Amino acid sequence: MRKPILAGNWKMNKTAAEAVAFVREIRFALNQVEAADVVVCPPFVALVAVAEALQATKIGVGAQNMHWQENGAYTGEIAPTMLTPYCQYVILGHSERRAYFAETDDGVNRKAKAALKHGLTPIICVGESLEQNEAGETHSFVSGQVRAAFAGIPAEDVARSVVAYEPIWAIGTGKSASAADAGRIIGLTVRGTLAELYGEAAAQQVRIQYGGSVTPENIAEYMAQPDIDGALVGGASLKATFVELVKGAV
Ligand code: 13P
């Protein structure tokens, strides 16, 4: 019912030239994947060139962040209308942005509304820290992040949104959440909270990814969980073996 979505978050990696060389290497193989949506999220300065290199393909392009205002005196920021010629997606509220760049739930909510207004699909990231996990606070914390991110977003926009559950302790650590745990938190906490907010039918339409040390070797285990609809992939999206990962998901 929900089409899987695999997105590569390149983070602060690859120059524009490296980005184009890389997508040229993988685009043919990725474009043959029919059963999933595939998205690459390069750094801002590579978006134009990557979008151009992927023009004749079904592969989507996403940004890694965005401001909620349309324009103005926000030095260093990028507006939604600057992204829409090149991107269909935008990652919002990644834990690295929350941790290192003081991004707040309120800011993520404003950005999500702005993305939806401009026809961009937000990939809204949520996830608990190791301390919260060990203290048994995962459900309440992640549920709170979902509520805050979707505050004021009307029901008709929910199905167009993607949520990525990325436990912070699993990001870049090689210590992935077990598929069963990820599936349970995504089903009960993330989708469960969306069901409380919008009803079960609407919640069933939202695609929810797992993120955190996903590899070509473990992707199938996550995809076997009924509530997991794909992955937000960091390190393993920077290499040509990302193709194997995507193929392993479908
Ligand atoms: P890794 O796949 O490198 O653990 O990163 C996950 C992530 O943060 C994707 O947004």
Side-chain angles (χ1 to χ4, degrees):
M1 182 178 76
R2 297 181 298 264
K3 190 174 188 187
I5 175 165
L6 288 304
N9 173 11
W10 295 3
K11 308 191 181 184
M12 197 172 72
N13 293 289
K14 299 191 192 292
T15 64
E18 288 165 350
V20 168
F22 179 57
V23 293
R24 285 196 180 136
E25 188 183 341
I26 61 174
R27 66 185 171 185
F28 182 79
L30 284 182
N31 196 44
Q32 289 180 311
V33 176
E34 300 279 350
D37 289 332
V38 183
V39 183
V40 293
C41 304
F44 283 129
V45 293
L47 286 173
V48 179
V50 166
E52 204 171 274
L54 296 177
Q55 216 159 37
T57 74
K58 305 186 295 288
I59 303 162
V61 178
Q64 299 175 15
N65 179 35
M66 175 189 90
H67 200 276
W68 60 81
Q69 294 283 4
E70 317 249 320
N71 51 53
Y74 300 100
T75 301
E77 291 293 316
I78 301 287
T81 49
M82 297 173 186
L83 297 179
T84 47
Y86 315 107
C87 298
Q88 303 79 44
Y89 300 85
V90 59
I91 299 171
L92 298 176
H94 191 280
S95 61
E96 288 151 14
R97 295 216 52 87
R98 294 180 192 254
Y100 308 141
F101 304 102
E103 201 148 297
T104 62
D105 276 343
D106 178 59
V108 175
N109 175 242
R110 288 169 191 250
K111 291 177 182 193
K113 286 175 180 161
L116 290 162
K117 178 179 170 194
H118 289 279
L120 290 162
T121 296
I123 300 177
I124 299 168
C125 302
V126 297
E128 83 286 1
S129 68
L130 183 60
E131 294 72 36
Q132 289 164 326
N133 184 282
E134 288 175 345
E137 294 165 3
T138 299
H139 177 79
S140 61
F141 183 74
V142 173
S143 175
Q145 284 184 315
V146 172
R147 282 175 195 280
F150 282 90
I153 290 180
E156 63 263 28
D157 282 343
V158 174
R160 293 200 287 128
S161 307
V162 173
V163 180
Y165 168 64
E166 300 200 309
I168 296 169
W169 47 270
I171 296 177
T173 57
K175 190 182 165 205
S176 51
S178 75
D181 282 349
R184 183 172 47 80
I185 294 160
I186 285 173
L188 296 179
T189 301
V190 181
R191 202 178 302 288
T193 302
L194 290 170
E196 283 172 23
L197 294 172
Y198 297 103
E200 187 61 31
Q204 285 298 330
Q205 290 183 283
V206 180
R207 295 189 290 180
I208 309 176
Q209 299 171 312
Y210 166 74
S213 299
V214 175
T215 64
E217 289 73 35
N218 65 19
I219 183 67
E221 292 169 40
Y222 292 107
M223 296 308 294
Q225 295 289 323
D227 274 301
I228 299 184
D229 306 314
L232 184 56
V233 184
S237 72
L238 295 170
K239 294 171 284 188
T241 48
F242 183 56
V243 173
E244 312 312 318
L245 192 159
V246 169
K247 286 182 176 166
V250 296

